Amino acid sequence: MSGNGSAAPREFAASSSKRLTLVRGRGATLWDESGRAYIDLGATHGVGNLGSAPPEVVRAIEAQAAELLYLGSGYANPVRTAFIGRLLSLLPSSFGSVFLSNSGTEAAEAALKIARSATGRTRVVAAMRGFHGRTMGALSATWRKELKEPFEPLVPGFVHVPYNDVAALEAAVDDSTALVLLEPVQGEGGVHVATEAYLRAARAVTERTGALLAFDEVQTGLGRTGRMFAFERWGVVPDLLLLAKSLAGGLPVGATVVASEVVPRFRGSHHSTFGGNPLVCAAGLASLDLLVREKLPERADRLGARGLERLGVMPPEKVREVRGLGLMIGVEFRNRVAPYLAALESRGFLAISAGSTVMRLLPPLVISDEEWDAGLGAIAEVVARG
Ligand SMILES: Cc1ncc(COP(=O)(O)O)c(C=O)c1O
């Protein structure tokens, strides 16, 4: 049998062979192989809320790596206990328990199993344009047809209703519904912000029918929207909260936070070998401390408001709408977004898309005022020239 050593290494399902190669990061700056610097306006996909390589988190990882890298969840560990305690201390007192995994999609899978088990029902109501991950359960809750069709049949029992349509939501939820799963701001679906009336209706209809309510804050969580958790904006508290992305400062993590009232209703088992390992918990603890100490949610609120204001004056013949919350902003163009992203990249700014016409801005919350202003200026410039 011959080896594969001479062939160029290929990453399975990589999005493009012409991708920029980035090798180093500090704060909101990323460097390519030739040493050219780029400002991250979304390149870390909402993971880098604290920027790249935040020194406190790096120190915590180094210290923990030297102490204990891995421990099965059958054993207690003070770092895991401290991380879970710190996370719960930032949440309303109705939350009592945390399941730790390794990604956003796993946080969603756990929520689906908890909801089925706690309610004895199987029906799930999710939203059109919603995104919850790519494993089979989370994918079933995800909206986009082209992500799902090649893998059908998916998990049965999922229905999708128009986002922000109170009547459609109320009509879809009944006493066979296990779970209503919503993003407070839809990220992958194009940056659409929930209305207060919609989230309040979701809370009321789930209470009335005995379904559970889950908010997927994988992208909105941890300061991104100008609050530690987006749901704080509306004061609507779910039964299950899904977190991942930035929770451990850049290390892989997922968390499903569960209301105390739901915990004893769970029957069966759920587990992840790597979930809650001491290394990630040490990074998570340091990340939460940093978010609170540096008041990063307030910073996201302030910089986000400035961004919405400055981007809001772009020419309406090119820009259909600018929307968002905190440092989660979508710019919807009348034409394809790809040329604008390429023009930004050539100027040293990296933003991402959400669908074919929306530019998504998810800069680190530690981005400096000057870097953010430069990014906003560059966007205005490429739009003016495009
Ligand atoms: C709202 C939301 N939920 C779930 C996920 C899935 O997370 P992961 O890619 O870590 O599985 C994502 C990823 O973008 C997301 O934005």
Side-chain angles (χ1 to χ4, degrees), residues 115-137:
R116 275 192 174 199
S117 171
T119 63
R121 308 168 179 180
T122 56
R123 206 156 161 276
V124 177
V125 177
M128 293 174 178
R129 288 192 312 237
F131 185 88
H132 303 286
R134 292 170 186 265
T135 49
M136 293 306 252

Short mmCIF file of all heavy atoms in Angstrom, two decimals, residues 115-137:
data_model
loop_
_atom_site.label_atom_id
_atom_site.label_comp_id
_atom_site.label_asym_id
_atom_site.label_seq_id
_atom_site.Cartn_x
_atom_site.Cartn_y
_atom_site.Cartn_z
N ALA A 115 -35.04 18.33 25.73
CA ALA A 115 -36.44 18.71 25.52
C ALA A 115 -37.31 17.48 25.29
O ALA A 115 -38.41 17.36 25.84
CB ALA A 115 -36.55 19.67 24.34
N ARG A 116 -36.83 16.54 24.48
CA ARG A 116 -37.60 15.30 24.25
C ARG A 116 -37.81 14.56 25.57
O ARG A 116 -38.91 14.12 25.87
CB ARG A 116 -36.85 14.38 23.29
CG ARG A 116 -37.07 14.68 21.84
CD ARG A 116 -36.52 13.53 21.02
NE ARG A 116 -36.83 13.70 19.61
CZ ARG A 116 -36.79 12.70 18.73
NH1 ARG A 116 -36.46 11.49 19.11
NH2 ARG A 116 -37.08 12.92 17.46
N SER A 117 -36.73 14.42 26.30
CA SER A 117 -36.80 13.63 27.53
C SER A 117 -37.67 14.31 28.59
O SER A 117 -38.49 13.66 29.24
CB SER A 117 -35.37 13.42 28.06
OG SER A 117 -35.41 12.86 29.32
N ALA A 118 -37.51 15.63 28.74
CA ALA A 118 -38.23 16.34 29.81
C ALA A 118 -39.72 16.47 29.51
O ALA A 118 -40.54 16.53 30.43
CB ALA A 118 -37.61 17.72 30.03
N THR A 119 -40.09 16.53 28.24
CA THR A 119 -41.51 16.73 27.90
C THR A 119 -42.21 15.45 27.46
O THR A 119 -43.44 15.40 27.43
CB THR A 119 -41.67 17.76 26.75
OG1 THR A 119 -41.05 17.22 25.58
CG2 THR A 119 -41.05 19.10 27.10
N GLY A 120 -41.44 14.42 27.08
CA GLY A 120 -42.04 13.21 26.52
C GLY A 120 -42.65 13.46 25.15
O GLY A 120 -43.47 12.69 24.67
N ARG A 121 -42.26 14.54 24.49
CA ARG A 121 -42.79 14.89 23.17
C ARG A 121 -41.62 14.97 22.18
O ARG A 121 -40.47 15.04 22.59
CB ARG A 121 -43.46 16.27 23.22
CG ARG A 121 -44.51 16.41 24.32
CD ARG A 121 -44.88 17.87 24.46
NE ARG A 121 -45.89 18.11 25.48
CZ ARG A 121 -46.36 19.33 25.78
NH1 ARG A 121 -45.90 20.40 25.13
NH2 ARG A 121 -47.27 19.48 26.70
N THR A 122 -41.97 15.04 20.89
CA THR A 122 -40.89 15.05 19.89
C THR A 122 -40.92 16.23 18.92
O THR A 122 -39.97 16.44 18.17
CB THR A 122 -40.94 13.76 19.03
OG1 THR A 122 -42.24 13.66 18.45
CG2 THR A 122 -40.66 12.54 19.88
N ARG A 123 -41.98 17.01 18.91
CA ARG A 123 -42.11 18.05 17.88
C ARG A 123 -41.24 19.27 18.24
O ARG A 123 -41.23 19.69 19.41
CB ARG A 123 -43.58 18.45 17.79
CG ARG A 123 -43.98 19.00 16.47
CD ARG A 123 -45.49 18.84 16.25
NE ARG A 123 -45.89 19.75 15.21
CZ ARG A 123 -46.18 21.02 15.43
NH1 ARG A 123 -46.15 21.52 16.64
NH2 ARG A 123 -46.50 21.80 14.42
N VAL A 124 -40.55 19.82 17.25
CA VAL A 124 -39.71 21.01 17.49
C VAL A 124 -40.11 22.11 16.52
O VAL A 124 -40.24 21.86 15.32
CB VAL A 124 -38.21 20.67 17.29
CG1 VAL A 124 -37.34 21.92 17.46
CG2 VAL A 124 -37.77 19.59 18.27
N VAL A 125 -40.32 23.30 17.04
CA VAL A 125 -40.63 24.45 16.19
C VAL A 125 -39.39 25.34 16.14
O VAL A 125 -38.88 25.76 17.19
CB VAL A 125 -41.84 25.23 16.73
CG1 VAL A 125 -42.10 26.48 15.88
CG2 VAL A 125 -43.09 24.33 16.74
N ALA A 126 -38.90 25.59 14.93
CA ALA A 126 -37.74 26.47 14.74
C ALA A 126 -38.12 27.53 13.71
O ALA A 126 -39.25 27.53 13.21
CB ALA A 126 -36.54 25.64 14.28
N ALA A 127 -37.18 28.42 13.40
CA ALA A 127 -37.54 29.54 12.53
C ALA A 127 -36.92 29.41 11.14
O ALA A 127 -35.82 28.89 10.98
CB ALA A 127 -37.08 30.85 13.16
N MET A 128 -37.65 29.92 10.17
CA MET A 128 -37.09 30.06 8.83
C MET A 128 -35.86 30.97 8.92
O MET A 128 -35.86 31.92 9.71
CB MET A 128 -38.12 30.67 7.89
CG MET A 128 -39.29 29.75 7.63
SD MET A 128 -40.55 30.58 6.67
CE MET A 128 -41.74 29.26 6.48
N ARG A 129 -34.85 30.70 8.14
CA ARG A 129 -33.55 31.39 8.13
C ARG A 129 -32.69 31.05 9.34
O ARG A 129 -31.59 31.57 9.49
CB ARG A 129 -33.70 32.92 8.05
CG ARG A 129 -34.17 33.45 6.71
CD ARG A 129 -33.99 34.96 6.66
NE ARG A 129 -34.52 35.60 7.84
CZ ARG A 129 -35.45 36.55 7.83
NH1 ARG A 129 -35.94 36.99 6.69
NH2 ARG A 129 -35.87 37.10 8.95
N GLY A 130 -33.18 30.19 10.24
CA GLY A 130 -32.40 29.86 11.44
C GLY A 130 -31.24 28.93 11.11
O GLY A 130 -31.27 28.19 10.13
N PHE A 131 -30.21 28.99 11.96
CA PHE A 131 -29.06 28.08 11.82
C PHE A 131 -28.67 27.58 13.20
O PHE A 131 -28.49 28.37 14.14
CB PHE A 131 -27.86 28.81 11.19
CG PHE A 131 -26.70 27.87 10.93
CD1 PHE A 131 -26.61 27.16 9.74
CD2 PHE A 131 -25.72 27.66 11.89
CE1 PHE A 131 -25.55 26.28 9.51
CE2 PHE A 131 -24.66 26.77 11.67
CZ PHE A 131 -24.58 26.09 10.47
N HIS A 132 -28.55 26.24 13.33
CA HIS A 132 -28.24 25.68 14.64
C HIS A 132 -27.12 24.64 14.59
O HIS A 132 -26.81 24.05 15.63
CB HIS A 132 -29.51 25.08 15.26
CG HIS A 132 -30.61 26.08 15.38
ND1 HIS A 132 -30.61 27.08 16.33
CD2 HIS A 132 -31.72 26.28 14.63
CE1 HIS A 132 -31.69 27.84 16.18
NE2 HIS A 132 -32.38 27.38 15.14
N GLY A 133 -26.53 24.40 13.42
CA GLY A 133 -25.43 23.46 13.34
C GLY A 133 -25.66 22.44 12.25
O GLY A 133 -26.66 22.48 11.53
N ARG A 134 -24.69 21.49 12.13
CA ARG A 134 -24.68 20.60 10.96
C ARG A 134 -24.70 19.13 11.31
O ARG A 134 -24.56 18.28 10.44
CB ARG A 134 -23.46 20.92 10.11
CG ARG A 134 -23.54 22.30 9.45
CD ARG A 134 -22.20 22.64 8.83
NE ARG A 134 -22.15 23.99 8.30
CZ ARG A 134 -22.39 24.30 7.02
NH1 ARG A 134 -22.73 23.39 6.16
NH2 ARG A 134 -22.29 25.56 6.62
N THR A 135 -24.81 18.77 12.60
CA THR A 135 -25.06 17.36 12.92
C THR A 135 -26.54 17.10 12.71
O THR A 135 -27.34 18.05 12.60
CB THR A 135 -24.62 17.04 14.36
OG1 THR A 135 -25.18 18.03 15.24
CG2 THR A 135 -23.11 17.07 14.50
N MET A 136 -26.96 15.83 12.69
CA MET A 136 -28.29 15.52 12.14
C MET A 136 -29.46 16.20 12.86
O MET A 136 -30.39 16.67 12.22
CB MET A 136 -28.49 14.01 12.09
CG MET A 136 -27.58 13.31 11.11
SD MET A 136 -27.66 13.99 9.44
CE MET A 136 -28.51 12.69 8.59
N GLY A 137 -29.41 16.28 14.18
CA GLY A 137 -30.51 16.94 14.90
C GLY A 137 -30.48 18.45 14.69
O GLY A 137 -31.50 19.06 14.33
#
